[in-house]
Amino acid sequence: MKTYALVGTGGRSGLYIEAITGKYRHNAKFVAFCDTNQTRMDYANRQLEQSGIARVPTWKAADFNTMLEETKPDIVIVTSMDRTHDDYIVRALHARCDVITEKPMTIDEPRALRILDAVDATGYQVRVAFNYRYAPHHSKMRELLMQDTIGDVLSVHFEWLLNTEHGADYFRRWHREKRNSGGLLVHKSTHHFDLMNFWLNSTPEKVYAQGDLRFYGKENAEKRGVTEFYPRAHGYVQAQNDPFALHMADNAQLKALYLNAEHEDNYFRDQSVFSDGINIEDTLSVLVKYQNKVQLTYSLNAYLPWEGLNVVFNGTKGRIEMKIVEMSYVNAGGKRENEGSIEKAEITVYPLFAEPWKAEFQLGEGGHGGGDNAMLEDLFGERKDDPLKRAADHRAGAMSILTGIAGNLSMQHDKPVYFKDFELVKRLRQPK
């Protein structure tokens, strides 16, 4: 039986707590929780008790090393704030633990180099939890491209839509500060850039990006005629009828995880999306040239009427179009199986000189069309051969964030950014 310590007991940790206390309880168990906030760790322990499992010791973040020494977990699960990932990953590796980390693996090149150095020095492994790779529709796209369905891919258009529930949520939380999350090009788009690397079996050569904060933030709201503002939803009458407000007192899980925990760290989960202090973009466009000469046009907008993606592959033998509509959600605000659940999923192949046809695939149960459960089985279940090679290591984690990091640099300097100039890329492209 493998033993696990989990650091970061906020909303995202629930995916792993439910898995280890549920389906995988016979071959996995927790030995410790770690966080900056005792209230959230107590909530995690109540989840264990509700599953008939004894509470585990809790450790404040400052005592992370002591926790590793005393509990000696086989694997550390990192679900903390993005900018802290590298610190916990590196310390866990040097304590002879393997690591499972939420995406993004980290938020900038120096942090990624620290992780790469630690993996090389210790020989222990890092797995990045890219559940989107395991979603049946994304796996089907990988199959179609591997089968040469449209020949050589020449260009891709990838449009990601975040709506006014889920998209807005990034502007309420710690993600709204780029120093914490790297912005949406790193925090959110790491999924999409990883899918591109996964689908194309290639990595970028050059990136050019443009982006801005055009919808959220106080200044944008003022331009649209808004005159009443509030710093956060809880306790402010101005928020009562605002469709963008998050009312934590009305949601038992959000109340337990965040509202009841504020007295410890003054972290406000329900900040107004139209307040000052937001310095990430909500409107993004990216051009990417890959090593195999494929051209990608990518866009992300975080304030749209529906949630999901349109992606198109153009090749020498035809075209593939995929449209996915996802059910909207607020992180930790509802049932786990509803997160990213699929309302519509279709893939259409348009061959040259032949009739179009629909690709067949079966959505699974649970979040992201079954992607969450398939990933959890790969992480905690019986390992099986996977011809699609969906498991993602630290190299995949690094290459996915580098597209977003390059995009941030391109926006900052208004010029293309070349992957060959990254020290991390030079290291990753060396023979294993």
Side-chain angles (χ1 to χ4, degrees):
M1 177 177 284
K2 293 286 187 181
T3 59
Y4 294 81
L6 184 143
V7 55
T9 52
R12 194 58 187 166
S13 67
L15 178 73
Y16 305 95
I17 293 173
E18 290 174 15
I20 290 177
T21 59
K23 181 177 180 179
Y24 304 103
R25 65 193 300 161
H26 300 298
N27 59 342
K29 72 172 184 179
F30 285 112
V31 294
F33 291 137
C34 180
D35 201 295
T36 58
N37 190 291
Q38 187 64 48
T39 301
R40 282 195 281 277
M41 289 191 284
D42 291 343
Y43 180 81
N45 261 324
R46 289 199 297 276
Q47 290 180 275
L48 266 58
E49 290 178 322
Q50 290 166 4
S51 300
I53 296 173
R55 298 169 70 95
V56 298
T58 60
W59 304 79
K60 285 296 187 73
D63 300 316
F64 180 73
N65 284 359
T66 305
M67 179 197 75
L68 295 177
E69 292 170 6
E70 296 195 10
T71 62
K72 293 183 169 51
D74 297 310
I75 300 171
V76 174
I77 300 173
V78 179
T79 53
S80 58
M81 186 185 296
D82 295 351
R83 67 173 167 82
T84 67
H85 284 188
D86 68 302
D87 186 45
Y88 293 125
I89 291 169
V90 168
R91 286 196 275 169
L93 292 170
H94 282 289
R96 301 188 216 179
C97 304
D98 289 324
V99 175
I100 297 169
T101 182
E102 257 302 317
K103 62 81 194 168
M105 185 178 75
T106 187
I107 65 170
D108 59 30
E109 186 187 23
R111 287 175 165 93
L113 282 167
R114 287 191 67 218
I115 294 171
L116 184 61
D117 288 342
V119 170
D120 290 346
T122 66
Y124 284 84
Q125 296 182 336
V126 175
R127 289 282 301 273
V128 183
F130 281 130
N131 51 355
Y132 271 48
R133 287 188 175 207
Y134 295 84
H137 42 290
H138 296 322
S139 296
K140 186 63 179 182
M141 183 65 78
R142 166 90 158 171
E143 288 180 12
L144 291 170
L145 295 173
M146 290 174 66
Q147 292 165 359
D148 200 39
T149 303
I150 58 169
D152 295 333
V153 176
L154 304 179
S155 68
V156 183
H157 174 67
F158 193 139
E159 177 188 25
W160 188 269
L161 300 87
L162 287 167
N163 73 358
T164 49
E165 182 179 25
H166 186 203
D169 209 35
Y170 295 109
F171 297 83
R172 300 184 185 109
R173 301 182 280 166
W174 52 262
H175 308 70
R176 69 199 331 243
E177 295 184 56
K178 189 167 281 193
R179 71 182 184 90
N180 290 330
S181 65
L184 289 177
L185 273 191
V186 173
H187 175 81
K188 182 62 180 176
S189 300
T190 184
H191 268 315
H192 316 142
F193 298 141
D194 175 68
L195 282 174
M196 287 303 306
N197 296 342
F198 174 66
W199 283 332
L200 296 176
N201 194 30
S202 187
T203 54
E205 180 180 281
K206 180 172 61 174
V207 174
Y208 178 72
Q210 292 185 333
D212 206 347
L213 182 67
R214 299 296 309 279
F215 184 83
Y216 299 108
K218 188 173 183 179
E219 184 177 353
N220 291 319
E222 287 173 335
K223 290 177 181 177
R224 293 193 296 272
V226 176
T227 57
E228 289 191 348
F229 295 92
Y230 55 91
R232 57 173 305 192
H234 185 69
Y236 283 85
V237 66
Q238 298 96 324
Q240 289 181 0
N241 297 315
D242 183 359
F244 287 94
L246 181 69
H247 301 288
M248 295 190 293
D250 299 336
N251 184 289
Q253 189 173 5
L254 290 173
K255 183 178 179 181
L257 273 174
Y258 298 107
L259 189 59
N260 293 348
E262 289 178 359
H263 66 281
E264 291 191 49
D265 54 17
N266 289 314
Y267 171 57
F268 302 132
R269 170 69 175 78
D270 62 343
Q271 295 175 83
S272 168
V273 300
F274 299 119
S275 60
D276 287 324
I278 299 171
N279 60 18
I280 65 171
E281 300 83 10
D282 57 24
T283 306
L284 291 152
S285 301
V286 186
L287 297 174
V288 186
K289 184 75 172 289
Y290 287 81
Q291 281 199 303
N292 62 3
K293 306 307 178 187
V294 172
Q295 301 173 40
L296 167 69
T297 59
Y298 170 87
S299 68
L300 182 147
N301 296 277
Y303 42 82
L304 296 179
W306 61 273
E307 176 117 351
L309 67 87
N310 292 306
V311 63
V312 175
F313 288 81
N314 299 307
T316 55
K317 296 180 182 178
R319 174 181 173 96
I320 303 176
E321 296 182 0
M322 177 165 66
K323 180 171 185 174
I324 307 296
V325 178
E326 292 191 356
M327 184 181 293
S328 181
Y329 68 95
V330 170
N331 184 265
K335 293 183 178 180
R336 189 76 51 196
E337 60 267 23
N338 291 336
E339 292 191 359
S341 59
I342 305 301
E343 295 183 347
K344 179 180 181 179
E346 60 183 27
I347 299 176
T348 307
V349 179
Y350 295 86
L352 293 180
F353 313 115
E355 290 298 313
W357 50 275
K358 299 287 186 183
E360 294 184 2
F361 54 92
Q362 187 66 45
L363 295 176
E365 296 183 357
H368 299 96
D372 287 356
N373 287 340
M375 180 191 73
L376 292 170
E377 178 66 25
D378 196 24
L379 289 172
F380 303 119
E382 209 173 298
R383 294 296 302 275
K384 300 174 184 177
D385 289 337
D386 180 6
L388 298 180
K389 301 187 185 306
R390 290 172 292 185
D393 62 6
H394 67 287
R395 300 171 69 89
M399 291 308 294
S400 71
I401 61 171
L402 270 179
T403 309
I405 292 167
N408 282 334
L409 290 171
S410 177
M411 287 189 289
Q412 181 181 347
H413 300 291
D414 193 25
K415 65 180 183 180
V417 173
Y418 293 84
F419 263 47
K420 63 181 177 59
D421 294 331
F422 285 112
E423 177 61 28
L424 184 60
V425 171
K426 297 172 185 175
R427 296 272 302 278
L428 288 172
R429 287 179 176 165
Q430 291 174 356
K432 292 185 181 179

